[in-house]
Amino acid sequence: MTIRVLVADDQALVRAGFVTIIGAQPDMEVVGECGDGRAAVELAGRLRPDVVVMDVRMPVLDGIEATRRLAGAGVAEPVKVLVVTTFNLDGYVYEALRAGASGFLLKDAPTAQLLHGVRTVAAGASLLDPEVTRQLIGRYAARIRPAADGADGSPLTPRELEVLRLIAEGLTNAEIAATLVISPETVKTYVSRLLTKLDLRDRVQAVIYAYRHGLVT
């Protein structure tokens, strides 16, 4: 199936670059592009893309609010959003994830990583750059974690909690498997179970949950 992509970025050169790269792929099609968040919401509602590649800082309506309107809690037919940002906008990344984004990348990520991100999000999975996760979300851990909250009363088994902590630290399934000396398939099973038990949509929400409940320091 062809992945239908909408690109939203107020920087014309960046937007043109994304459109060119994505449009050149045999399994992708750019169905629209725009330079502000309100237009992104309107176009996404009309075109129903599989993925919206969304900048954070845009005029009229910023990418966080646009993401919330497209993929936030209570949206009847959510659209998958892949947020792209620059490192100095790390204060906005967590808010974008809370708004419903399925993942994020840095704007200077390699082309292959951008394309992998689009495919990953389109397939219904989440995308968290491990190094960025450690640096950005970790930096905001104190702000997003209630001081009195903790793991007490969690429905997760000790092993599932361990997997959740490693997810929150930015490890991939393969890295978690190597760390715990188990197979990647077993890791996938643990991830699926913990998401179901905690009623979480994807790994992005799992990271937020872990920091909010003091599972990562």
Side-chain angles (χ1 to χ4, degrees), residues 11-95:
Q11 297 181 34
L13 288 177
V14 173
R15 187 170 71 247
F18 285 166
V19 168
T20 300
I21 293 169
I22 294 170
Q25 305 309 304
D27 61 336
M28 299 182 190
E29 175 189 4
V30 177
V31 296
E33 60 175 288
C34 58
D36 68 76
R38 181 175 297 171
V41 174
E42 294 173 352
L43 282 175
R46 177 157 49 89
L47 301 174
R48 300 306 300 175
D50 298 306
V51 178
V52 177
V53 175
M54 182 84 73
D55 186 21
V56 171
R57 183 177 289 177
M58 291 188 292
V60 185
L61 189 71
D62 65 41
I64 294 173
E65 181 57 31
T67 298
R68 184 175 293 111
R69 296 185 187 186
L70 291 175
V75 176
E77 297 182 5
V79 177
K80 298 180 181 69
V81 178
L82 174 62
V83 170
V84 291
T85 184
T86 53
F87 187 76
N88 64 353
L89 291 180
D90 56 357
Y92 297 98
V93 173
Y94 172 72
E95 297 302 330

Side-chain angles (χ1 to χ4, degrees), residues 66-159:
T67 298
R68 184 175 293 111
R69 296 185 187 186
L70 291 175
V75 176
E77 297 182 5
V79 177
K80 298 180 181 69
V81 178
L82 174 62
V83 170
V84 291
T85 184
T86 53
F87 187 76
N88 64 353
L89 291 180
D90 56 357
Y92 297 98
V93 173
Y94 172 72
E95 297 302 330
L97 298 181
R98 287 192 65 187
S102 292
F104 66 87
L105 287 173
L106 296 179
K107 282 189 176 180
D108 60 358
T111 297
Q113 192 171 349
L114 169 66
L115 298 174
H116 171 70
V118 172
R119 293 186 179 102
T120 298
V121 170
S126 62
L127 182 80
L128 289 172
D129 182 297
E131 186 59 31
V132 176
T133 299
R134 297 185 187 101
Q135 295 183 27
L136 303 192
I137 297 182
R139 181 179 302 178
Y140 284 82
R143 180 171 65 86
I144 68 181
R145 181 174 67 244
D149 214 353
D152 294 343
S154 171
L156 302 182
T157 65
R159 179 62 99 179

